[in-house]
Amino acid sequence: MNGTIIETKNLTKIYNGKIKAVSDLNLEVKEGEIYGLAGPNGAGKTTTINMLITRISPTGGEAIVGGYDIVKNSLDVRRLIGVVPQDFTADEDLTGRENMMMVSQFYDVPRQKAQENSNTLFKLVDLEEAADRLVRTYSGGMRKRLELILGLVHEPRILFLDEPTLGLDVQTRTQMWNYVKEIQTRLNVTIILTSHYLEEIDELADRVSIIDHGKVLITGSPEELKGSLNGDIVTVTLTDQKSAELMKTMQGIVEVNEVGPNTLRIKVASADESLPKIINFISQHSLSITKLTVQKPTLDEVFLEYTGKTIREAEGGDEARKLAMNMRRARQ
Ligand SMILES: Nc1ncnc2c1ncn2[C@@H]1O[C@H](COP(=O)(O)OP(=O)(O)OP(=O)(O)O)[C@@H](O)[C@H]1O
Ligand SMILES: [Mg+2]
């Protein structure tokens, strides 16, 4: 246990000789963990997954999955893994159960075993009642849950989830998180998960690599990454401008910015230690406050720290680039 189950060395994919989608990627995934690949649109997440599941071949570097080389032993790799792709794959004109049986035939799972596994899996994601309905009658959340278990009917050791909650509303997304956690603990599989929702990665991943433009920016547990920023944010709203000005003069704070009327965003090394000092300062100078909140850094702030932009700006940037490219093409 806790050995390395996936390892990549300088894994690289260049599409059509020019688009460098993944560049010298080095990853080490430990058995049993949920490993997150986080990054904006076009970062190279799906390309990385597609190489690891042997759907496309790398143009450089290598990767070992479950002890097998993805290029030399691709059939062995395929037997060990389950895949839930970014796009829907289930047949809408079949029932959920018929889809499960079809996938299990594809993997040569004996019929009785397939039936048993299907029952367990439908129960796991609360789809028992819908199992015999046509998939076209499913809601978006039900489809995603079906896709999740379609990747598990042959009892894989490793499950790849590419954007498991894309397009789902917040409530359904939270439900999916619980199912993914259940799968990790009850079925004892290693899970590789991609997402451009950093809060999803924070919630689910034991460790994460943040990638942008095909390169790993940083790897660690969400706690380590957030901790590495060395700063919590205390936001305090005072009753008047004079108090706010005085508050700014407090010693021992990393950075202070005025972010609204009489409202200061104070960055401190550790809120646990600084909060008492801030409260003391307020009472010593007889300042009065109307609001005080403490915010620990999120993975969004980690992304900002390492790329100089927010993940949404990065996505906007890519869209803007695509648009510019299309416009150039249209002119040619
Ligand atoms: N088949 C392909 N041919 C050419 N370029 C491709 C192909 N697939 C992906 N790309 C390009 O490779 C880069 C990485 O794409 P990829 O789909 O791996 O990103 P992603 O991180 O999964 O993004 P998203 O969050 O949108 O799913 C992008 O610039 C994309 O346009
Ligand atoms: Mg993708």
Side-chain angles (χ1 to χ4, degrees):
M1 280 306 265
N2 273 343
T4 300
I5 196 160
I6 296 179
E7 191 171 11
T8 74
K9 285 205 189 106
N10 299 328
L11 192 66
T12 298
K13 178 70 183 181
I14 302 174
Y15 287 111
N16 309 323
K18 45 181 190 283
I19 303 167
K20 205 167 199 180
V22 172
S23 179
D24 289 315
L25 196 78
N26 294 304
L27 297 178
E28 203 183 309
V29 179
K30 304 243 182 292
E31 188 160 9
E33 71 180 346
I34 299 186
Y35 196 97
L37 290 180
N41 289 142
K45 304 182 295 295
T46 298
T47 302
T48 302
I49 296 276
N50 282 345
M51 288 190 280
L52 296 178
I53 67 173
T54 77
R55 197 165 153 190
I56 60 175
S57 42
T59 50
E62 54 189 271
I64 304 292
V65 174
Y68 297 106
D69 185 289
I70 55 165
V71 176
K72 293 181 203 133
N73 312 105
S74 59
L75 288 180
D76 295 305
V77 171
R78 283 181 198 191
R79 266 195 289 276
L80 292 179
I81 62 172
V83 181
V84 180
Q86 188 165 346
D87 305 313
F88 287 123
T89 56
D91 189 332
E92 292 202 311
D93 295 318
L94 298 179
T95 66
R97 197 184 305 279
E98 285 164 349
N99 270 287
M100 289 286 270
M101 294 313 282
M102 208 169 69
V103 174
S104 60
Q105 269 171 15
F106 176 77
Y107 282 105
D108 286 331
V109 183
R111 194 168 173 79
Q112 198 186 340
K113 182 81 184 151
Q115 278 164 348
E116 282 167 23
N117 287 356
S118 298
N119 287 338
T120 310
L121 291 170
F122 278 121
K123 222 178 261 162
L124 189 81
V125 296
D126 297 316
L127 270 185
E128 293 154 287
E129 314 233 312
D132 295 304
R133 269 170 43 193
L134 289 184
V135 171
R136 66 167 65 255
T137 69
Y138 284 17
S139 69
M142 289 162 78
R143 278 182 193 220
K144 278 285 188 187
R145 267 138 69 194
L146 174 66
E147 296 283 337
L148 193 60
I149 57 175
L150 284 177
L152 288 165
V153 67
H154 58 297
E155 303 177 332
R157 277 177 66 202
I158 310 170
L159 180 68
F160 290 89
L161 299 178
D162 198 2
E163 303 281 356
T165 67
L166 192 68
L168 298 181
D169 60 72
V170 175
Q171 201 188 342
T172 318
R173 192 181 301 161
T174 321
Q175 262 178 15
M176 281 295 276
W177 294 349
N178 290 331
Y179 294 127
V180 172
K181 285 184 206 160
E182 285 267 291
I183 287 168
Q184 181 200 23
T185 50
R186 303 239 316 250
L187 305 182
N188 201 16
V189 286
T190 305
I191 299 178
I192 319 296
L193 163 97
T194 80
S195 185
H196 60 255
Y197 301 121
L198 290 173
E199 70 274 24
E200 173 160 303
I201 296 283
D202 196 358
E203 178 68 28
L204 288 177
D206 296 306
R207 288 191 311 134
V208 49
S209 287
I210 295 185
I211 60 176
D212 193 20
H213 301 297
K215 284 190 180 299
V216 173
L217 301 178
I218 184 165
T219 295
S221 72
E223 292 315 313
E224 280 165 4
L225 299 192
K226 289 183 289 183
S228 75
L229 292 188
N230 245 338
D232 297 338
I233 304 295
V234 178
T235 306
V236 50
T237 304
L238 298 114
T239 45
D240 57 278
Q241 185 62 30
K242 200 163 149 243
S243 304
E245 290 304 324
L246 196 58
M247 184 83 233
K248 281 187 197 169
T249 64
M250 191 186 138
Q251 298 295 302
I253 52 189
V254 178
E255 200 182 297
V256 56
N257 293 300
E258 198 151 348
V259 291
N262 312 327
T263 301
L264 303 178
R265 185 177 187 270
I266 303 172
K267 187 170 176 187
V268 293
S270 151
D272 297 345
E273 283 163 26
S274 296
L275 210 50
K277 291 180 191 150
I278 291 175
I279 307 241
N280 269 344
F281 187 91
I282 289 168
S283 93
Q284 270 167 15
H285 294 82
S286 307
L287 307 180
S288 51
I289 57 172
T290 55
K291 198 174 166 192
L292 187 145
T293 54
V294 178
Q295 198 193 342
K296 299 271 177 184
T298 62
L299 281 185
D300 284 290
E301 272 137 20
V302 175
F303 187 85
L304 180 68
E305 183 83 11
Y306 285 91
T307 63
K309 58 195 182 221
T310 68
I311 189 160
R312 299 298 158 231
E313 278 166 357
E315 306 211 306
D318 268 9
E319 282 312 306
R321 253 197 308 284
K322 272 183 210 154
L323 191 68
M325 216 163 75
N326 287 341
M327 283 166 68
R328 265 201 303 278
R329 270 204 208 112
R331 275 202 302 272
Q332 280 165 2

